[in-house]
Amino acid sequence: MTKKRKKYICITMAGLLLALGCWAYTRWDVWFGNPPEAPYAPAKVPSRVLLTFGNDGEMSRMVSWMCDDKVDADAVLLLADSTDTVQIKATGEVFESRSGKAAYYRAEMKDLKANHTYGYAVRSNGVLSKWYSFTTSNPDAQSYAFLYMGDVQDTINGVANRLLRQAIARHPEVEFVAFGGDLIERPTDAYYAETFRSIDSVCTAMPVVNITGNHDYLKYLIRKCERRFALTFPYYLKGMEERDDNNHLFSFVYHNTQFFLLDSERGIYFLQQQKSWLEDRFEECKAKHKIVMLHHPLYSVKNKKNNLIERWTFNDMIQEAGVELVLQGHEHGYTHCTSSEEPLKGNICNNPPLYTVSHCSPKNYNLHPTERFFPVLSDSRYYQVIKVDASAITMLGYDANTGERVDSVRIVK
């Protein structure tokens, strides 16, 4: 090799390294930047009360809340019906974030009566919260409905609270609300406070379930979802302890449907752990219907090469298990597709699973759909009402701002 050629190669390599360095510099904050968390002090009274599903079957519920920065060993949940009031001892734990610490509590209600209304309140630091109420489901009902929202990521003092209240008012038949990750904008106390302002109209009256999204993680070389996420949504904690890992995984049965919640922001090694967990849950499943929730779309409407690791990890198993519906978020638009390259014709899906992407965020993305996606909407906020009966699942999509129905698909096995 001549000196001239060696010199040319060295200059080229130096140029490439410089260009790569400049590109990495411009992307550094996107990859690893975490917004600062302002110092905070939790309220001295119970706050951020949330009702969700428990770990002990369909007739269990769990309540979580936050209060002060020290655990009160006497903290309890008071559960009342028309005949009696009982006290359920709470489990407390202090979590310290980058700029503060707070005590988080959880208490599980088991062996509840079906189709029954209960009152409840929580007490810690000697202070009793206000009384709330909820009604349990009727497992023998012929059908039920729930509301699904993808990413919310509301700005401080945003409008998600109004949109959620309007959605519930339009659809009083829904029995719980499911969120597809990125419910918060970033994992700081201020944004957690905004999230509870957004959902406080419903999160004490009906169960709320939420999966992890990329905005729930802190950006390091290996991204980290803080424990306060699971302390806020405590149905994850039992499984994390039993498996001795930090994968946010949960499965629950509601009527004739089993739900499978995945943690798709994690790296490939952890996704393989989740694949094994999901395989075991599918083998155990006796429910008629199956619904999977994960944040990253297995078929991307932004770029068909996106999320390939998630697709390679989960998709074959999801299809073989007979899953009917896959609820997703992340890409800030509304659409659906099947595994076929062709768009779904008409309003009947005979080749499930149906993969849907949805969001209810103030941020809209530029989408680059292939022919398989229809409809493709990205100029508003959206939600779905999912209706499940003995024979099929029906997904109804709505514009959250106007209430207009924008989609309807009946999924038939």
Side-chain angles (χ1 to χ4, degrees), residues 29 35 64 169 266 355 390:
D29 191 57
S64 65
R266 307 210 75 191
Y355 304 84

Side-chain angles (χ1 to χ4, degrees), residues 10 48 57 66 71 119 174 189 201 225 229 234 236 243 249 313 322 326 375:
C10 288
R48 303 184 189 178
M66 190 175 81
V71 170
V174 301
D189 183 74
S201 57
C225 185
F229 184 90
Y236 290 118
R243 296 185 310 269
L249 304 171
T313 303
V326 182

Side-chain angles (χ1 to χ4, degrees), residues 342-349:
E342 299 296 322
L344 185 66
K345 294 180 173 64
N347 294 332
I348 303 295
C349 174

Side-chain angles (χ1 to χ4, degrees), residues 310-328:
E310 289 82 0
R311 191 196 307 176
W312 294 336
T313 303
F314 297 120
N315 203 33
D316 287 348
M317 186 167 39
I318 284 173
Q319 292 177 0
E320 291 167 4
V323 172
E324 289 135 286
L325 181 61
V326 182
L327 296 171
Q328 307 158 123

Side-chain angles (χ1 to χ4, degrees), residues 84-135:
D84 196 13
T85 299
V86 297
Q87 294 189 11
I88 301 172
K89 184 174 176 56
T91 299
E93 178 179 334
V94 173
F95 171 77
E96 186 168 359
S97 71
R98 293 171 290 161
S99 298
K101 63 180 180 179
Y104 292 80
Y105 296 89
R106 59 190 181 274
E108 186 168 11
M109 301 166 278
K110 301 179 182 180
D111 300 321
L112 298 171
K113 301 173 186 175
N115 198 27
H116 194 78
T117 298
Y118 291 91
Y120 73 96
V122 299
R123 186 175 66 213
S124 50
N125 262 18
V127 181
L128 189 68
S129 72
K130 65 182 290 188
W131 281 88
Y132 307 99
S133 66
F134 69 94
T135 301

Side-chain angles (χ1 to χ4, degrees), residues 290-319:
K290 301 182 185 76
I291 296 176
V292 168
M293 292 175 58
L294 78 167
H295 185 63
H296 294 79
L298 298 181
Y299 294 99
S300 171
V301 71
K302 286 186 68 180
N303 186 321
K304 63 182 181 180
K305 296 180 181 178
N306 283 357
N307 312 326
L308 290 179
I309 292 176
E310 289 82 0
R311 191 196 307 176
W312 294 336
T313 303
F314 297 120
N315 203 33
D316 287 348
M317 186 167 39
I318 284 173
Q319 292 177 0

